[in-house]
């Protein structure tokens, strides 16, 4: 396929927009179709810690590093307040450090910079952190990590895509992939209109398996419900990303805090199609635990609760590449896409344009699932 061919990207989250920008800047005629909106768009309610701090296999770690390197280059070239690399501080309950010790050992083998800090050292490094919250825990410091405010990044990606010629179509309801004689011929909008295309990239977040299923491509999912709490605080928030056993905390560009707690995700319940709910006392508990983590136990004023689905492939690793059984259809489906999207987009766009396959995507192709 030549670069001047027509490509439709389904989904205007961080993955879809990152891919659209790459494709448009490569000369493709790009149309981005998306339903958008907060409840369905994970990228509008993401904690967005930029990291590779886990015992990931080497291939996945390298893909994450490629994403972080992109973000670092952008931060170096553009002094924006919504993309910061001030490290992360990580600790476990009751002074235990068993699982983090394993992570630290693994990180050393990968030469990913991490080091142990005593509680007092961590609080000295990060004055917003309450030393009492740490107890006798050791704190694992990953100085190269950071965070991004995805709504600001999405605006940059959309503007860059538009200035490279991309067209945006906002829809109400579900668009679907259209095929003719066994290969893709475009994207069908909810009103029945066909947007003709030579290739369609499905980057529909949590809806990705449902979009691909009618094509006979079964992508397993472990997607779960998630709660993100935003709160105002009267004093400076932490510079580092704080990840304790009760709650994770980071500061936003405007100084407010973003809070995420795995235990609170379990309290989210379905409340109708594309609707989710959580009890107010769960949100208050998240705020209380965050306050107790911060020095001086500041009052946190609730600004917003973001509730919805967190897109996660069934084996937890990125799914990116061609759907071999339906020529012209490509997929990008991933957790941690705040971190990974620039890498996935850079690797996938040439493949969509028929300019070769990036070997770094080989372990992550949808063909690893037998039904694609
Ligand atoms: C609470 C939470 C915390 C997270 N923390 C981190 C973190 O710390 N670090 C990290 O790297 N990542 C994190 N993530 C993951 C990251 O945010 C997601 O991987 C990423 O946002 C997914 O982006 P996406 O573009 O794939 O999907 P989305 O942002 O969900 O976008 C998909 C879009 O497609 C549209 N769409 C879907 N189907 C259709 C259809 N049929 N027709 C039209 N439009 C359609 C949707 O409306 C939506 O706008 C977190 C996510 C959550 C929810």
């Amino acid at each position: 396929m030549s670069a001047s061919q027509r490509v439709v990207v389904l989904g205007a989250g961080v993955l879809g927009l990152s891919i659209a920008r790459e494709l448009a800047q490569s000369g493709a005629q790009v149309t981005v179709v998306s339903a958008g909106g907060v409840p369905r768009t994970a990228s509008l309610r993401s904690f967005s810690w930029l990291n590779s701090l886990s015992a990931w296999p080497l291939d996945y770690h390298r893909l994450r590093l490629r994403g972080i390197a992109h973000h670092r280059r952008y931060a170096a070239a553009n002094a924006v307040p919504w993309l910061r690399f001030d490290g992360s501080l990580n600790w476990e309950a009751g002074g235990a450090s068993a699982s983090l010790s394993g992570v630290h050992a693994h990180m050393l083998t990968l030469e990913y910079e991490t080091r142990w800090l005593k509680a007092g050292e961590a609080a000295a490094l990060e004055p917003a952190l309450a030393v009492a919250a740490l107890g006798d825990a050791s704190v694992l410091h990953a100085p190269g990590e950071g965070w991004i405010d995805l709504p600001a990044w999405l605006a940059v990606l959309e503007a860059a895509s538009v200035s490279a010629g991309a067209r945006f179509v906002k829809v109400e309801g579900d668009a679907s992939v259209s095929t003719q004689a066994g290969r893709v011929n475009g994207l069908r909008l909810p009103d029945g209109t066909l947007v003709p295309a030579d290739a369609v990239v499905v980057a529909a977040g949590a809806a990705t398996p449902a979009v691909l299923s009618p094509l006979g491509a079964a992508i397993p999912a472990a997607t779960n419900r998630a709660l993100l709490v935003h709160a105002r605080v009267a004093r400076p928030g932490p510079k580092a990303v704080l990840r304790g056993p009760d709650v994770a905390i980071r500061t936003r560009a405007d100084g407010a805090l973003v809070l995420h707690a795995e235990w609170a995700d379990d309290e989210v319940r379905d409340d109708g199609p594309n609707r989710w709910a959580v009890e107010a006392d769960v949100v208050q508990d998240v705020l209380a635990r965050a306050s107790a983590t911060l020095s001086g136990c500041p009052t946190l004023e609730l600004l917003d609760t973001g509730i919805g689905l967190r897109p996660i492939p069934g084996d937890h690793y990125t799914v990116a590449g061609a759907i071999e059984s339906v020529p012209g259809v490509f997929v990008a489906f991933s957790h941690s896409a705040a971190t990974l999207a620039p890498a996935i987009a850079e690797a996938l766009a040439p493949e969509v344009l028929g300019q070769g396959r990036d070997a770094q995507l080989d372990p992550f192709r949808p063909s690893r699932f037998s039904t694609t």
Side-chain angles (χ1 to χ4, degrees):
M1 188 184 299
S2 79
S4 63
Q5 298 284 314
R6 304 157 303 171
V7 185
V8 174
V9 177
L10 174 59
V14 70
L15 270 174
L17 290 179
S18 300
I19 294 163
R21 180 183 67 160
E22 291 284 343
L23 290 167
Q25 290 181 342
S26 299
Q29 297 174 41
V30 176
T31 304
V32 181
V33 176
S34 190
V38 173
R40 290 183 61 178
T41 308
S43 303
L44 297 179
R45 49 184 164 69
S46 173
F47 188 73
S48 303
W49 168 40
L50 303 175
N51 79 94
S52 193
L53 192 74
S54 196
W56 304 121
L58 184 58
D59 290 331
Y60 192 54
H61 176 68
R62 284 190 173 141
L63 195 64
R64 298 179 76 102
L65 290 189
R66 187 169 167 181
I68 292 170
H70 270 265
H71 285 307
R72 277 194 165 279
R73 281 198 296 278
Y74 188 88
N78 303 274
V80 292
W82 43 262
L83 172 58
R84 304 283 313 172
F85 285 94
D86 294 310
S88 71
L89 294 167
N90 309 268
W91 68 101
E92 291 175 309
S97 58
S99 78
L100 277 178
S101 289
V103 169
H104 178 55
H106 187 73
M107 294 290 113
L108 290 178
T109 67
L110 298 174
E111 298 183 355
Y112 187 76
E113 192 180 354
T114 49
R115 60 185 177 134
W116 287 112
L117 300 177
K118 295 198 175 84
E121 292 172 320
L125 183 76
E126 177 51 78
L129 174 60
V131 71
L134 299 172
D136 56 357
S138 295
V139 177
L140 191 60
H141 181 211
E145 301 193 330
W147 58 263
I148 186 167
D149 276 345
L150 278 188
W153 181 228
L154 297 187
V156 168
L157 292 170
E158 181 168 341
S161 303
V162 167
S163 68
R167 187 170 76 96
F168 281 74
V169 178
K170 195 163 188 296
V171 294
E172 304 283 336
D174 291 343
S176 56
V177 180
S178 172
T179 60
Q180 191 172 38
R183 68 156 291 128
V184 79
N185 69 339
L187 193 80
R188 184 77 60 190
L189 303 185
D191 68 1
T193 309
L194 180 71
V195 182
D198 306 295
V200 169
V201 182
V202 178
T208 297
V211 170
L212 292 174
S213 170
L215 305 175
I219 305 282
T223 293
N224 59 18
R225 291 170 289 202
L227 168 70
L228 203 74
V229 176
H230 294 255
R232 185 175 290 130
V233 61
R235 59 178 70 183
K239 287 190 165 180
V241 176
L242 305 183
R243 296 186 61 255
D246 286 342
V247 66
I249 307 172
R250 72 160 172 91
T251 304
R252 297 192 322 203
D254 65 359
L257 302 179
V258 185
L259 315 174
H260 180 236
E262 299 280 346
W263 60 266
D265 290 346
D266 296 336
E267 304 294 329
V268 176
R269 59 172 200 276
D270 288 336
D271 197 27
N274 285 322
R275 286 176 60 87
W276 301 271
V278 72
E279 298 298 333
D281 61 348
V282 172
V283 176
Q284 289 305 321
D285 200 0
V286 172
L287 292 170
R289 295 186 197 210
S291 174
T293 305
L294 297 171
S295 59
C297 294
T299 301
L300 303 186
E301 178 197 342
L302 179 64
L303 291 175
D304 184 38
T305 53
I307 312 173
L309 296 178
R310 174 167 40 192
I312 306 179
D315 61 5
H316 290 249
Y317 297 111
T318 297
V319 183
I323 301 292
E324 308 280 355
S325 54
V326 191
V329 179
F330 298 82
V331 60
F333 176 42
S334 191
H335 180 49
S336 294
T339 303
L340 286 159
I344 295 169
E346 182 183 62
L348 185 61
E351 183 175 337
V352 173
L353 298 177
Q355 295 168 351
R357 285 157 60 114
D358 189 315
Q360 217 179 343
L361 286 187
D362 285 350
F364 306 108
R365 297 191 182 285
S367 52
R368 71 180 182 271
F369 305 115
S370 57
T371 47
T372 59

